[in-house]
Amino acid sequence: VIYEMIGMTAGLKKDITSTHVGIVYDLLFTDGSKELSLPYGILVRKEYNRLYFIKRDEEEAAMEVQQKDGYDPDDDLEEEEYEGDANTPGRTRELPQINHRILTKFDLDNIPTGNYTKWFDCDKISKACTLRYRRKGDYLTINSEMGKKSLQDYMVNEKIPKKDRDRVPLVADGSHIMWVVGHRMSEYYKVTKDTKKVLEVTVRI
């Protein structure tokens, strides 16, 4: 698999040897985030338990755009004021498609459990339900006792790679995150026996 990934990233497999495959394999078992360079300008980056194969010129081009935009890739969002914008180079991608509908008749035994469709209690939405990327001050409710956690801390605990955190779609009610798409939803908005209306949201990644 590693050999194939190197070849796909480079666009050819000439001069890719078992030595190159071996050092990438060893990278998997190192601690923390590390990276190494391979022939043909390939950068292999390890973050948590994932490997990313990057063509060096693509990496440099992305960094150049980010620097022109005033973005330091080592900054944490909690340390800066930033509002997600699908047109911001190097920070986000185009927002995915979203479908939604209001349900007045629903079966509590059939609440969706998939990663990309969720039900929310309509009457608990205090502002407006929006699809966006993260902002400073975002938080979610993490348990039935209504304990809160910052989105930044949640993403760190879930080991979402730093470079991907600005690319995770969020369904938000102001700063209260209703749903970290592909991950978990806020306990606060969960449907219960007292729910009168359900907002069903499906995000198409």
Side-chain angles (χ1 to χ4, degrees):
V1 172
I2 291 173
Y3 177 75
E4 291 297 326
M5 287 301 301
I6 295 172
M8 288 172 59
T9 306
L12 72 169
K13 297 177 181 176
K14 183 181 178 182
D15 298 328
I16 302 298
T17 68
S18 58
T19 300
H20 300 122
V21 173
I23 60 175
V24 174
Y25 179 81
D26 291 341
L27 188 65
L28 274 171
F29 301 97
T30 59
D31 295 328
S33 298
K34 291 186 171 61
E35 59 184 41
L36 58 85
S37 296
L38 295 177
Y40 305 116
I42 298 172
L43 180 70
V44 183
R45 178 180 295 141
K46 175 184 178 284
E47 293 187 18
Y48 299 113
N49 61 344
R50 301 180 183 178
L51 289 179
Y52 298 88
F53 293 77
I54 305 163
K55 189 75 170 175
R56 176 69 74 172
D57 54 353
E58 295 174 359
E59 173 83 355
E60 291 172 352
M63 289 297 294
E64 182 180 353
V65 171
Q66 290 169 350
Q67 289 164 2
K68 286 180 180 178
D69 191 47
Y71 169 56
D72 180 352
D74 292 326
D75 285 347
D76 278 324
L77 189 65
E78 293 290 75
E79 299 173 355
E80 62 178 355
E81 188 69 34
Y82 170 73
E83 296 191 359
D85 182 343
N87 296 316
T88 303
R91 292 300 299 267
T92 61
R93 55 186 168 85
E94 184 179 352
L95 284 164
Q97 292 183 333
I98 183 171
N99 295 327
H100 67 280
R101 59 176 178 162
I102 302 295
L103 306 176
T104 54
K105 295 182 179 180
F106 48 89
D107 183 355
L108 292 178
D109 292 328
N110 289 310
I111 296 176
T113 58
N115 285 337
Y116 298 104
T117 297
K118 296 294 180 187
W119 280 6
F120 305 92
D121 188 322
C122 257
D123 294 327
K124 292 183 178 179
I125 300 172
S126 61
K127 296 183 179 179
C129 179
T130 58
L131 181 68
R132 61 170 175 82
Y133 294 107
R134 66 176 183 159
R135 300 174 182 171
K136 183 177 180 180
D138 284 343
Y139 68 94
L140 64 160
T141 305
I142 59 170
N143 54 43
S144 57
E145 287 73 37
M146 299 298 110
K148 297 176 181 177
K149 176 177 286 189
S150 73
L151 179 64
Q152 170 73 8
D153 288 346
Y154 169 76
M155 287 184 163
V156 170
N157 291 344
E158 289 298 302
K159 297 184 177 181
I160 298 174
K162 192 172 182 179
K163 70 181 186 61
D164 293 337
R165 294 173 197 167
D166 288 325
R167 296 173 174 264
V168 177
L170 308 167
V171 175
D173 176 17
S175 294
H176 195 163
I177 301 304
M178 299 168 60
W179 180 20
V180 182
V181 177
H183 299 273
R184 69 166 297 166
M185 63 175 287
S186 174
E187 290 287 329
Y188 177 77
Y189 298 94
K190 284 190 173 181
V191 172
T192 70
K193 60 182 178 58
D194 298 317
T195 299
K196 302 294 189 295
K197 289 188 298 182
V198 166
L199 172 65
E200 181 185 81
V201 177
T202 298
V203 174
R204 304 190 183 283
I205 300 296

